[in-house]
Amino acid sequence: MNRGMGDPGMCQRLIGLTLILAAGSSVDAAAPVVQPRAGFQAELVAAEPLIESPIALDWGADGRLWVVEMRDYPLGVNNQGEPGGRIVCVEDTDQDGRYDRSTLFLDGLLFPTGVMTWRKGVLITCAPDILYAEDTDGDGKADKRESLFTGFGEANPQHRVNGLRWGLDNWIYCANGDFAAARTFDASVPESAKSTGFSASQGEDLRRLMLAGASIQSNKTGESISIRNRDFRIQPDEGRIEPQSGQAQFGRDRDDWGNWFGCNNAIPIWHFVLDDFYLRRNPHAGYPPPRVEASTSVTYPLGPAGRDTGAKRDRRGSPWTSACSITFYRDNLFGPDFDHNWFVCEPVHNLVHREVLIPAGATFQSHRAPDESASEFLSSTDTMFSPVSVRTGPDGAVWVVDMYRKVLEHPHWLPAGWEETIDVRAGHDKGRIYRVFPAKAKCRPMPRLDRLDSSELVATLESPNGWVRDKAQQLLVERQDRSASPALEELARASAEPRGRLHALCALDGLHALDPKLLEAALADPHPAIRRQVIRLAEKVQRPSNSLQNALFKLTTDPAPMVRLQLAYTLGSSKSRAASQSLARILRDNASEPYIAAAAVSSLTEQNTAQVLDHLVGSVSELPEPLLENLLRTALGFGEVEGLKSLFARMIDSPGKQNNSHFAAVAVFLDALDERNESHQNDTNKADADVQSVLNQLAPVFGAARAVVVDGNAPLKDRVQAVRLLGRLPDSPPDDQDLLYGLLNPQIPDQLQIAAVEALGRSADPQAFQGILREWKSFTPAVREQVLETLLRSSGGPKTLLDAIQQQLLLSQEVSFTAQRRLLEHPSEEVRNDAGNVFQERVDADREKVIQTYQPSLQLAGDLKRGQPLFEKHCAACHRLGEIGHVVGPDLAMVRDKAPEWFLPAIFDPSRAVDAKFVSYVAVTDDGRVLSGILGEESGERMTLIGQDGKPQSLLRGNVEQLSSTGKSLMPDGLEKVLKSQDVADLIAFLRSPIATKPANK
């Protein structure tokens, strides 16, 4: 099918149009009015009917352009789920820099999201699969189609697997697409799901599809891995797949030096600092979040705020609502001001945003360019202009893919009934691709790498263009031509271009031709990014020479933090005592650098932990608390009892005995014992006897803790930490519990009462629970919240709580909606039944009826000053707006542009269109605890649940007996019980107002 030949006149009008809007030229009405930054021009290089609904692209080694068309967005081409996605190949037949012919390569795809040229065909991300497609007979159409990996989630097309970016390590990286899933699900489908437009059979599977995508199978190896809450990388030829730290929604990209970044709709850039591959080595440690938000900017659109609301822009900037397709400028055509620049699309605000990235320790910070402090790199007043993908092209220009749609929000998130009045497919037969470059510059011609032999490809590794270097490296690795090795080695040694040296080394790695002597020399490279990658490559040397190892060890004091970060990782692959000594030095010297310290902790293994601890004993009193906690957890996990004794002995004998940090360290040790179900009581085997010997050594700390708890003049933070030790041992004095009960007093600070509740609840003793509830009437709201959380997460707490309500120790209405729902949906049938009897005033199951009841509130004038305290009371536990609230659910700054009608289902039926990453989960541990919340960061052998109070709960995967999703939002139904129509009007007014900066007076 040749789309370019259908209407040559139309094709020429569209393809031949060049927009130089910086100079104020008029444009053809057929194209949107796009405005690049001053001094730049935007050239339209492809448009309908050549392409339709483009969302992603890649170039082939032969210069052709491959385009993903999501023509079936958002509900299928017939609004009933019929596939209509395609891969088309467009060509510039007359070599004028503009495409004039389109060939349909593959169709019948349901919501394809990404493409990458690979060998003789292309890789395609199209959930539930990653496909390989090839034209074997030369007719331009794919006749070979193979599923390489399968199991990816298939719900909202905006959140599906995507990406496909070449890594320096010769892997291909992909974005997960924001799925945070477990395979346990409730097969029932709410009424609201039936309005999505899917067929009946698909509607029944909607929730299952939202909750799929955790376990991915390689069809070549038959192996499966979990990528829940993580991105991943693949090697298609071998069928290998591995999880990667962090998770991106649409687009994962790297800079020239191997740093990876992602984004989601509300956050334009994350740096993925820590590497999951390394963190998995030490399952006993807890790590900081592996991704760091690097920018705090807002956007400055040209047109009205939102596609359908007509709201006015805030002069202070608009929050992010649809950030996608982060990419780095990897060329020199734009000049030195564009070094270390990144771009991201914002289709809802009709713009492409640009910032400058600067190093900040082991990570980065980002800021706007001075000449774009309140403007955008590319923007438009045409509200159908929908930039969804941006790349640095092989010609040095920035390429922008414009899906050109009236509605980008999925109908599942539209207010009820809007899909009946709005054509959600408006623009499906249109689409444009631009390239943006300086008005005085000339783009390079498209390279023909397919015509180059291996020696010519080696020379191409010095290209100023990142895509060209990546593709040349990819082709060298595909060919496996070892004759290129001498030229690559020469380039690695002598190239004046650091990027050329780097790619040469990585290509040699892909050819399995790395010379240890070359690596040793490269460890002294003047560029820190090369030293960093060479350290990584050194891990592959089977028997490193003493000189190579010594060269590595010298880098423990390298001035570049990222070099020390990689060295901290790599030292864990060596079993030598010298490596352990170097690792200890990195831990000691970088103790205040959380990411370098985390990398070093990941290198602690069963073989080296004792040696590292031995080198650290003299510095233990100087180590920050998080690092000390990780050392204790690791030593316990690997059974290094002597190391534990040495650490504790030095703490106890150090100046300022038994202070806050010592109490915290011992408490962490006890928590780690509990987490691993170690017994404090049994000394019949060596492991228990070893643990008991450590506990005996700590007797002075426990005694000091009791004294501090009752000392009203002691610092509050010391008393709080000391409380964590009371009653923790089987031979604890009987009055420990009395001390804890004595803290449940209105005269005692909330922090101490909360710590006492946690300590009493740790025993899971029903009598302790009853003792806590007897004081219920005197508790402040903060303490009551902790009491409910403590009871709900323990094995016997829910029954004690329900009994107490029946005994009127507390009233059913004093139990929050969230706590009520946790009881009504508890894993235990007995608890669910008892809760149903206690909470007889059920929430109305017909959420649509509730929403209709509040329709008149939309006609009332809202008062944002009255709305703020309502937000603080009912929303701030899970949501953050400005400086108010907790970051658990979505950041509400991005809903300011929503129409008032949008808010009613969001408030009264929060599970109607809950984003997969905000679905509530319930985890049952093997000791009977029941925890609930949304899934947070996952890395190594740990997962995190974030409860409604915003507190993270870290869990070892091995201790989780069952993990299941409720399929519902963490936000409960039932606010109609406490909100009047005027309250709703006031709350909406506050949510739509400029972001609050301080809480209301209490």
Side-chain angles (χ1 to χ4, degrees):
M1 178 177 176
N2 190 331
R3 296 301 305 271
M5 301 301 291
D7 184 351
M10 176 66 77
C11 181
Q12 185 166 351
R13 286 196 302 275
L14 292 173
I15 303 305
L17 181 62
T18 299
L19 308 178
I20 312 179
L21 299 176
S25 304
S26 61
V27 298
D28 191 312
V33 179
V34 292
Q35 179 175 317
R37 58 168 277 137
F40 277 63
Q41 66 184 44
E43 183 177 80
L44 186 62
V45 295
E48 71 274 0
L50 206 67
I51 54 173
E52 299 177 8
S53 297
I55 67 161
L57 54 76
D58 193 25
W59 299 267
D62 57 4
R64 294 187 298 170
L65 179 67
W66 296 79
V67 180
V68 179
E69 296 184 341
M70 194 184 281
R71 298 166 63 251
D72 42 5
Y73 183 83
L75 301 170
V77 293
N78 62 349
N79 281 338
Q80 295 293 322
E82 180 181 342
R86 309 189 306 190
I87 306 297
V88 298
C89 182
V90 295
E91 299 174 73
D92 174 13
T93 61
D94 57 7
Q95 302 298 306
D96 67 348
R98 302 176 180 91
Y99 295 98
D100 49 55
R101 183 165 67 190
S102 175
T103 302
L104 176 62
F105 178 73
L106 183 64
D107 62 0
L109 301 172
L110 184 63
F111 307 134
T113 56
V115 66
M116 178 179 179
T117 54
W118 179 258
R119 295 196 177 275
K120 297 179 180 180
V122 294
L123 300 171
I124 305 164
T125 51
C126 185
D129 302 304
I130 294 179
L131 305 169
Y132 173 72
E134 183 182 328
D135 167 24
T136 64
D137 56 14
D139 66 353
K141 299 181 180 180
D143 49 76
K144 178 181 179 180
R145 173 173 165 170
E146 177 185 4
S147 172
L148 303 179
F149 305 93
T150 191
F152 299 100
E154 297 179 67
N156 186 339
Q158 299 172 350
H159 295 179
R160 297 185 171 208
V161 58
N162 63 86
L164 299 168
R165 294 291 185 270
W166 180 258
L168 289 170
D169 54 5
N170 303 303
W171 288 73
I172 296 170
Y173 286 71
C174 296
N176 188 331
D178 255 4
F179 278 96
R183 290 200 176 274
T184 304
F185 62 90
D186 178 356
S188 63
V189 178
E191 285 296 319
S192 57
K194 297 177 183 177
S195 66
T196 59
F198 284 90
S199 65
S201 61
Q202 288 171 319
E204 292 171 1
D205 288 341
L206 180 60
R207 182 169 294 167
R208 174 181 60 81
L209 295 177
M210 286 186 68
L211 301 180
S215 182
I216 308 303
Q217 177 177 305
S218 167
N219 291 327
K220 287 193 174 183
T221 67
E223 297 180 354
S224 295
I225 68 162
S226 171
I227 60 166
R228 185 184 53 224
N229 275 353
R230 288 175 285 182
D231 290 340
F232 61 97
R233 64 180 182 176
I234 59 173
Q235 289 185 330
D237 292 343
E238 295 81 9
R240 297 177 65 189
I241 179 169
E242 289 187 353
Q244 293 295 294
S245 293
Q247 184 175 13
Q249 182 171 328
F250 189 77
R252 180 184 177 111
D253 199 26
R254 66 169 172 85
D255 62 10
D256 284 336
W257 311 109
N259 300 295
W260 285 95
F261 302 82
C263 63
N264 75 2
N265 56 339
I267 298 174
I269 181 171
W270 273 308
H271 173 216
F272 301 131
V273 190
L274 296 176
D275 192 328
D276 195 79
F277 170 78
Y278 294 109
L279 301 188
R280 294 195 296 269
R281 296 180 303 190
N282 181 357
H284 309 296
Y287 300 105
R291 62 186 183 185
V292 175
E293 187 175 345
S295 173
T296 58
S297 66
V298 294
T299 67
Y300 291 92
L302 289 179
R307 294 163 178 267
D308 301 298
T309 66
K312 294 181 179 179
R313 300 290 187 188
D314 182 352
R315 62 182 176 82
R316 294 180 297 178
S318 296
W320 292 92
T321 64
S322 58
C324 60
S325 184
I326 186 172
T327 198
F328 279 77
Y329 185 66
R330 300 178 59 203
D331 205 290
N332 61 9
L333 184 69
F334 289 11
D337 288 346
F338 284 78
D339 287 346
H340 312 296
N341 279 211
W342 58 273
F343 297 85
V344 72
C345 296
E346 229 296 356
V348 168
H349 292 323
N350 322 114
L351 59 87
V352 176
H353 179 83
R354 163 199 169 219
E355 288 194 28
V356 182
L357 200 69
I358 56 175
T363 182
F364 296 91
Q365 292 178 348
S366 182
H367 63 82
R368 282 178 166 272
D371 57 353
E372 291 178 17
S373 60
S375 61
E376 299 298 343
F377 178 79
L378 182 73
S379 52
S380 177
T381 57
D382 184 344
T383 57
M384 289 186 68
F385 174 61
S386 306
V388 294
S389 185
V390 59
R391 300 278 303 271
T392 304
D395 58 352
V398 166
W399 288 57
V400 178
V401 179
D402 173 15
M403 192 178 185
Y404 203 69
R405 287 291 187 114
K406 179 178 178 61
V407 178
L408 276 182
E409 190 154 30
H410 195 280
H412 201 48
W413 276 263
L414 289 174
W418 277 35
E419 67 271 22
E420 299 173 5
T421 60
I422 295 176
D423 180 4
V424 296
R425 288 183 47 74
H428 70 88
D429 56 347
K430 297 178 175 59
R432 294 89 193 267
I433 297 175
Y434 301 87
R435 62 177 181 177
V436 186
F437 54 94
K440 296 181 180 180
K442 183 179 180 180
C443 294
R444 303 186 191 90
M446 286 292 174
R448 289 297 305 267
L449 301 184
D450 58 322
R451 296 174 177 173
L452 304 183
D453 62 24
S454 294
S455 62
E456 292 170 319
L457 285 176
V458 171
T460 306
L461 295 177
E462 291 186 292
S463 167
N465 184 269
W467 182 91
V468 172
R469 294 193 305 272
D470 288 350
K471 184 59 68 173
Q473 179 182 330
Q474 178 187 331
L475 292 174
L476 285 166
V477 173
E478 285 180 3
R479 293 178 185 180
Q480 286 294 302
D481 182 1
R482 291 288 189 93
S483 68
S485 297
L488 286 169
E489 290 185 2
E490 178 62 23
L491 188 68
R493 286 192 176 94
S495 175
E497 170 51 56
R499 294 168 180 83
R501 300 197 299 273
L502 178 59
H503 278 275
L505 289 163
C506 293
L508 284 166
D509 174 36
L511 293 175
H512 310 288
L514 280 171
D515 182 351
K517 292 183 178 179
L518 175 64
L519 292 178
E520 183 179 337
L523 284 173
D525 194 283
H527 200 289
I530 295 179
R531 299 197 299 274
R532 173 189 179 188
Q533 293 296 335
V534 173
I535 293 170
R536 176 183 64 82
L537 294 173
E539 297 173 16
K540 302 191 176 188
V541 178
Q542 294 279 338
R543 294 180 177 83
S545 64
N546 289 335
S547 59
L548 176 58
Q549 291 189 78
N550 290 334
L552 281 168
F553 300 154
K554 289 179 181 178
L555 296 177
T556 55
T557 57
D558 193 283
M562 289 188 182
V563 172
R564 302 196 303 275
L565 178 81
Q566 182 59 53
L567 182 61
Y569 284 138
T570 296
L571 288 171
S573 64
S574 174
K575 298 179 181 179
S576 73
R577 179 170 289 275
S580 298
Q581 185 174 2
S582 295
L583 187 58
R585 180 172 185 178
I586 286 183
L587 276 166
R588 183 179 62 249
D589 295 348
N590 298 273
S592 59
E593 293 275 358
Y595 296 105
I596 299 177
V601 167
S602 80
S603 282
L604 295 175
T605 65
E606 196 168 2
Q607 289 74 34
N608 68 13
T609 296
Q611 296 174 7
V612 173
L613 291 179
D614 186 52
H615 290 296
L616 283 175
V617 164
S619 307
V620 66
S621 61
E622 303 168 7
L623 299 180
E625 186 176 316
L627 177 54
L628 182 57
E629 290 180 6
N630 266 332
L631 293 175
L632 293 172
R633 287 182 179 275
T634 300
L636 177 64
F638 289 131
E640 292 297 339
V641 174
E642 293 306 314
L644 280 169
K645 287 183 176 180
S646 297
L647 287 175
F648 281 131
R650 181 57 64 102
M651 283 170 41
I652 294 171
D653 292 338
S654 65
K657 293 181 180 179
Q658 289 78 59
N659 60 26
N660 169 65
S661 62
H662 296 165
F663 296 145
V666 175
V668 165
F669 172 67
L670 297 173
D671 291 344
L673 284 175
D674 291 343
E675 186 176 58
R676 286 162 178 76
N677 299 315
E678 294 275 1
S679 170
H680 298 185
Q681 307 171 35
N682 191 336
D683 61 357
T684 58
N685 58 55
K686 182 180 185 302
D688 290 332
D690 286 341
V691 168
Q692 190 60 49
S693 69
V694 176
L695 295 175
N696 292 339
Q697 178 188 13
L698 295 174
V701 181
F702 287 100
R706 296 182 184 99
V708 168
V709 168
V710 298
D711 183 359
N713 294 320
L716 180 59
K717 64 178 183 179
D718 285 6
R719 297 180 73 192
V720 169
Q721 292 293 357
V723 166
R724 297 175 63 190
L725 303 188
L726 298 190
R728 296 296 295 271
L729 301 176
D731 58 351
S732 296
D735 59 354
D736 269 9
Q737 196 168 63
D738 294 335
L739 285 176
L740 294 172
Y741 283 133
L743 296 175
L744 305 181
N745 186 304
Q747 283 75 45
I748 299 297
D750 277 6
Q751 299 97 309
L752 267 180
Q753 292 191 65
I754 288 171
V757 168
E758 290 180 312
L760 287 165
R762 192 176 287 111
S763 66
D765 180 359
Q767 291 185 348
F769 295 154
Q770 291 167 8
I772 294 171
L773 289 171
R774 279 194 291 269
E775 305 299 327
W776 175 266
K777 296 187 187 304
S778 70
F779 292 152
T780 64
V783 179
R784 287 186 175 190
E785 182 180 345
Q786 183 60 55
V787 170
L788 291 175
E789 181 60 37
T790 299
L791 294 175
L792 288 173
R793 72 171 54 176
S794 68
S795 57
K799 185 178 186 323
T800 305
L801 175 61
L802 293 169
D803 289 345
I805 295 173
Q806 291 179 327
Q807 297 165 13
Q808 298 188 338
L809 291 177
L810 69 161
L811 302 177
S812 60
Q813 57 265 36
E814 293 179 301
V815 179
S816 68
F817 293 135
T818 301
Q820 289 183 32
R821 194 178 78 183
R822 288 171 65 178
L823 290 164
L824 291 166
E825 298 175 354
H826 197 274
S828 165
E829 182 179 3
E830 180 183 2
V831 171
R832 292 197 302 270
N833 291 336
D834 289 348
N837 294 329
V838 168
F839 304 111
Q840 294 178 358
E841 187 183 347
R842 298 295 187 93
V843 172
D844 192 334
D846 189 346
R847 306 313 299 162
E848 186 59 37
K849 183 177 73 175
V850 173
I851 292 169
Q852 292 305 317
T853 300
Y854 281 89
Q855 286 295 327
S857 66
L858 301 178
Q859 308 304 317
L860 300 175
D863 185 328
L864 64 90
K865 292 182 178 179
R866 293 196 303 261
Q868 182 167 335
L870 289 169
F871 173 82
E872 293 178 14
K873 181 176 181 180
H874 300 295
C875 311
C878 285
H879 297 284
R880 187 173 183 83
L881 185 58
E883 299 300 317
I884 306 173
H886 300 287
V887 182
V888 182
D891 186 338
L892 296 184
M894 66 180 183
V895 306
R896 287 169 52 202
D897 294 337
K898 301 292 185 183
E901 294 86 349
W902 181 89
F903 289 89
L904 292 184
I907 294 170
F908 295 109
D909 191 9
S911 297
R912 170 177 293 192
V914 60
D915 223 336
K917 60 180 175 288
F918 297 120
V919 168
S920 176
Y921 281 76
V922 176
V924 181
T925 63
D926 49 16
D927 61 353
R929 291 179 298 142
V930 179
L931 310 175
S932 72
I934 63 171
L935 282 172
E937 303 284 358
E938 296 194 47
S939 60
E941 295 302 315
R942 287 187 174 272
M943 63 176 61
T944 301
L945 277 178
I946 303 174
Q948 195 182 36
D949 57 1
K951 295 179 181 178
Q953 304 163 93
S954 178
L955 296 170
L956 274 173
R957 298 181 195 276
N959 284 358
V960 178
E961 187 175 282
Q962 178 184 346
L963 178 68
S964 59
S965 170
T966 66
K968 298 180 181 180
S969 168
L970 189 63
M971 177 179 171
D973 299 333
L975 281 176
E976 67 273 13
K977 293 182 178 181
V978 293
L979 293 180
K980 299 176 182 178
S981 288
Q982 185 60 56
D983 294 334
V984 173
D986 295 339
L987 181 58
I988 292 175
F990 176 70
L991 293 171
R992 299 187 78 215
S993 69
I995 298 175
T997 56
K998 60 182 179 179
N1001 293 329
K1002 298 290 182 72

